[in-house]
Amino acid sequence: MEDLNKTLQQRRQKAAEMADLGVNLYINDFKPLHSLRQALPQTAYDDPDSALGEGEFIVAGRIIAMRDFGKAAFLQLQDESGRGQIYIKKQEVGDEHFEIFKKLDIGDIIGCSGTLFRTKKGEPTIHVRSFTPITKSLRPLPEKFHGLTDVEIRYRQRYVDLIVNPEVRDTFRKRVQIIRLIREFLEERDYIEVETPMMHPIAGGATAKPFQTHHNALGMDLYLRVAPELYLKRLLVGGFERVFEINRNFRNEGLSTRHNPEFTMLEFYQAYATYLELMDLTEEMVTSICQKINNTLIIQFEEQPVDLSPPWKRYTMDEALHEVGGVSVDILADPDKTMALAKEKGLKLEEKAGPGKAKMELFDLLVEEKLINPTFITAYPTEVSPLARCNDDDPTVTDRFELFITGREIANAFSELNDPIDQRERLEKQVAERGDDEEVFPEVDYDFVRALEYGMPPAAGEGIGIDRLTMLLTNSPSIRDVILFPHLRPEAK
RNA sequence: GGGCCCUUAACUCAGCUGGUAGAGUAUCUGACUUUUAAUCAGAGAGUCGCGCGUUCGAGCCGCGCAGGGCCCA
């Protein structure tokens, strides 16, 4: 079975010795009255002359460092609020308790009570009057100085990562804060949060490969959703005029620093709005969140500054191709020349692909990665936007935008197509064209078309990838740094 | 899916041209009642990711596999 190495055996041995001394190794009746940060506030560190709290403090935490002097010791404790130092003296806690103290290990969770004092060097410290072991740790923690850097172990054993790398906890706290701020922002604007199905009979709302599952009692296949879009629009038909959902989407595709098979998406829809209003809304939402999270709008991402100060740059697809990508106006105006340029750049286009698809590919190649500061791209070709409303003046493009920051797509939005006949045609065309792809399970969602036939108010809708937004706002280069338990292959046995 | 790179003690890492496996931290023993990566003395700790091959001899060379990273599709 489990072949214990020496360290693990020693830990178990110590645990047994503690039990022999009458110690319950896993108690559940200790109530800390103060967090370490409450007992030892930041101001106590900032100002070495400041007065410390009076009276008894009762705290609990994990031992993360120990400096032992024989008859006394300094320990570094960590709880959710942070870290702090405690001082244990044999004379103070008594011989019997000091014997128990000697059996404690780094990693153990203990509780203690005591008063505050400053050490010779001025560090505020809890002078322990009594302590009690709360939870015994049977595994050694990574080294104190370098911490845990092996990314594989950091992701597989996130609990260890969280114990020893405090900045990781900060990132995930920020993530939660970001989501909370999004909720507040939308609720202030009369949006309501809804929950729509995660299991779909038809994989729709985005062209992505779905995960397939099966309902036994009903004897039917289901798909984990690739997007909630078609359900949220049904709610617009039903009369909810401002809805949003923050939840997981699942896409059965490759993994990368920007893709996890399950990821968190914000989608929101607003009746009687256009994509232009959503651009303003997005700018306001992201900047207000960034200001609250980072106290600045000029942030660092992978060693480079990113300026989120409004107003953000707005380009049409053609303008971006011309001004950022260096493609001449002459070429952009001529479908044949556009196609020729795409081929010249080595882009592989499918048989059916037209100039719209070619522009999209050219954009990916020549423009996307250069959009460091926030940039809205509008006027996407109709050819690549099956659910978006066509522009009234130029039906070859749609009333759509995408937002790029640090060369990454952060948001995708458009004025929604609400003509049921047009929508049915586009969906049927899409299914016909994808008929050969066995992994996409193409099928037209006729119930969605039926819903539109009842009449969906004009609306605009948007999706924002929460993981990517969190990456941006926490300076995390990999999506795995902002997902607590990212997907990995099974551990080798 | 393709290319390149990584995998050595619990952790962070060395290991030269193929010749008996190294350090720091952690751990254990001893000393030490104000340390800050405490200090001092000593000790133990390894299936060098897994498998096959080449060789008198492989952590190191070759092939395959697994896991991870980066880039590309």
Side-chain angles (χ1 to χ4, degrees):
Chain A
M1 223 196 73
E2 207 178 356
D3 192 18
L4 297 179
N5 72 29
K6 195 164 179 179
T7 310
L8 296 188
Q9 284 175 19
Q10 278 169 351
R11 287 281 176 122
R12 278 171 159 71
Q13 177 64 30
K14 271 195 183 176
E17 288 167 13
M18 283 172 80
D20 287 346
L21 290 170
V23 175
N24 182 345
L25 300 176
Y26 302 98
I27 66 169
N28 192 19
D29 60 357
F30 187 90
K31 283 274 174 263
L33 295 184
H34 310 92
S35 70
L36 287 168
R37 201 43 65 237
Q38 285 172 330
L40 305 164
Q42 190 56 45
T43 51
Y45 295 88
D46 295 342
D47 178 4
D49 297 321
S50 62
L52 298 174
E54 297 282 332
E56 195 89 345
F57 286 88
I58 301 177
V59 301
R62 188 187 297 277
I63 302 171
I64 55 164
M66 208 183 310
R67 293 181 280 275
D68 183 2
F69 289 86
K71 294 192 181 64
F74 288 92
L75 277 64
Q76 200 78 28
L77 288 194
Q78 172 170 279
D79 69 8
E80 199 186 337
S81 73
R83 295 177 172 181
Q85 182 168 262
I86 67 170
Y87 179 56
I88 292 183
K89 241 177 5 175
K90 185 175 184 178
Q91 186 187 315
E92 210 75 48
V93 298
D95 292 1
E96 218 170 287
H97 264 73
F98 206 70
E99 274 311 296
I100 294 170
F101 163 74
K102 286 289 187 188
K103 306 276 183 220
L104 291 176
D105 286 307
I106 291 174
D108 290 357
I109 297 170
I110 65 166
C112 64
S113 67
T115 52
L116 302 185
F117 77 108
R118 280 191 194 278
T119 64
K120 281 179 181 166
K121 294 277 171 63
E123 176 159 353
T125 302
I126 298 175
H127 194 130
V128 174
R129 306 286 174 217
S130 69
F131 74 92
T132 177
I134 295 176
T135 301
K136 185 67 189 164
S137 167
L138 297 177
R139 286 181 182 269
L141 288 174
E143 185 226 347
K144 60 189 168 190
F145 192 53
H146 298 91
L148 182 65
T149 61
D150 182 322
V151 290
E152 188 178 349
I153 302 179
R154 287 188 45 222
Y155 297 148
R156 283 195 199 282
Q157 298 177 239
R158 183 68 89 183
Y159 38 91
V160 179
D161 190 30
L162 288 165
I163 291 171
V164 301
N165 295 325
E167 67 282 3
V168 174
R169 293 207 265 177
D170 290 343
T171 297
F172 287 104
R173 278 206 196 89
K174 280 188 180 176
R175 182 185 169 114
V176 170
Q177 235 180 316
I178 289 165
I179 292 171
R180 203 189 62 230
L181 290 168
I182 290 171
R183 283 206 167 90
E184 280 174 13
F185 184 92
L186 291 172
E187 282 168 359
E188 278 167 14
R189 284 158 183 77
D190 296 324
Y191 276 83
I192 61 167
E193 182 168 11
V194 297
E195 294 175 277
T196 66
M198 308 291 272
M199 295 195 291
H200 290 182
I202 295 169
T207 52
K209 295 171 186 169
F211 287 94
Q212 195 170 17
T213 184
H214 187 77
H215 192 293
N216 292 338
L218 296 178
M220 69 184 290
D221 286 339
L222 290 165
Y223 306 95
L224 300 187
R225 71 179 192 191
V226 294
E229 174 154 0
L230 303 186
Y231 286 91
L232 292 170
K233 286 184 187 169
R234 283 171 167 94
L235 295 178
L236 293 177
V237 171
F240 287 116
E241 295 180 358
R242 297 183 178 202
V243 294
F244 75 99
E245 179 164 13
I246 298 175
N247 221 318
R248 227 63 70 81
N249 287 350
F250 305 85
R251 295 188 181 174
N252 203 346
E253 292 170 3
L255 286 73
S256 77
T257 49
R258 298 173 196 199
H259 299 88
N260 196 59
E262 53 180 301
F263 61 100
T264 302
M265 188 83 161
L266 161 68
E267 281 204 15
F268 56 100
Y269 292 81
Q270 179 174 334
Y272 310 108
T274 70
Y275 75 116
L276 294 168
E277 291 163 78
L278 293 194
M279 275 197 272
D280 295 337
L281 185 89
T282 303
E283 192 174 287
E284 202 182 331
M285 179 163 74
V286 174
T287 52
S288 76
I289 291 171
C290 181
Q291 186 66 47
K292 284 173 183 156
I293 297 281
N294 293 317
N295 290 317
T296 174
L297 291 179
I298 300 172
I299 57 176
Q300 287 289 124
F301 191 84
E302 290 185 309
E303 328 282 283
Q304 70 183 335
V306 181
D307 187 354
L308 300 186
S309 308
W312 293 348
K313 195 87 193 164
R314 298 182 183 191
Y315 285 126
T316 64
M317 169 81 56
D318 280 4
E319 284 167 354
L321 281 167
H322 175 59
E323 291 187 29
V324 182
V327 181
S328 78
V329 179
D330 171 48
I331 291 175
L332 291 169
D334 183 334
D336 293 336
K337 287 184 180 170
T338 302
M339 294 295 281
L341 178 65
K343 290 207 179 85
E344 186 191 314
K345 293 283 181 188
L347 295 170
K348 288 174 206 128
L349 295 172
E350 292 163 32
E351 283 289 303
K352 296 168 286 229
K357 179 77 178 161
K359 279 185 183 174
M360 188 73 172
E361 296 282 335
L362 285 166
F363 176 84
D364 286 350
L365 180 71
L366 302 173
V367 181
E368 184 168 334
E369 65 177 13
K370 293 179 183 164
L371 303 177
I372 304 303
N373 288 333
T375 309
F376 288 112
I377 303 295
T378 61
Y380 274 70
T382 304
E383 193 186 333
V384 295
S385 312
L387 297 166
R389 180 188 169 90
C390 292
N391 185 273
D392 287 339
D393 300 326
D394 177 4
T396 66
V397 298
T398 52
D399 285 344
R400 172 183 177 188
F401 72 82
E402 287 197 9
L403 169 65
F404 295 87
I405 310 177
T406 66
R408 293 166 166 80
E409 180 195 335
I410 299 289
N412 180 20
F414 35 84
S415 296
E416 303 295 339
L417 175 64
N418 66 342
D419 174 346
I421 292 170
D422 186 358
Q423 180 69 86
R424 178 200 289 260
E425 280 171 9
R426 290 210 217 170
L427 290 175
E428 284 177 344
K429 182 160 174 270
Q430 200 185 5
V431 165
E433 283 172 1
R434 297 201 149 259
D436 50 343
D437 191 339
E438 290 179 1
E439 291 180 304
V440 177
F441 309 100
E443 206 177 325
V444 173
D445 189 340
Y446 284 110
D447 176 69
F448 172 65
V449 174
R450 179 168 60 189
L452 293 188
E453 285 169 358
Y454 282 93
M456 184 180 90
E462 176 166 346
I464 296 182
I466 298 296
D467 309 284
R468 289 183 187 176
L469 181 64
T470 305
M471 288 165 67
L472 171 72
L473 297 180
T474 60
N475 190 14
S476 302
S478 169
I479 197 169
R480 288 176 161 181
D481 295 325
V482 300
I483 292 176
L484 280 167
F485 299 100
H487 184 78
L488 296 172
R489 287 187 169 82
E491 208 169 344
K493 199 59 205 130

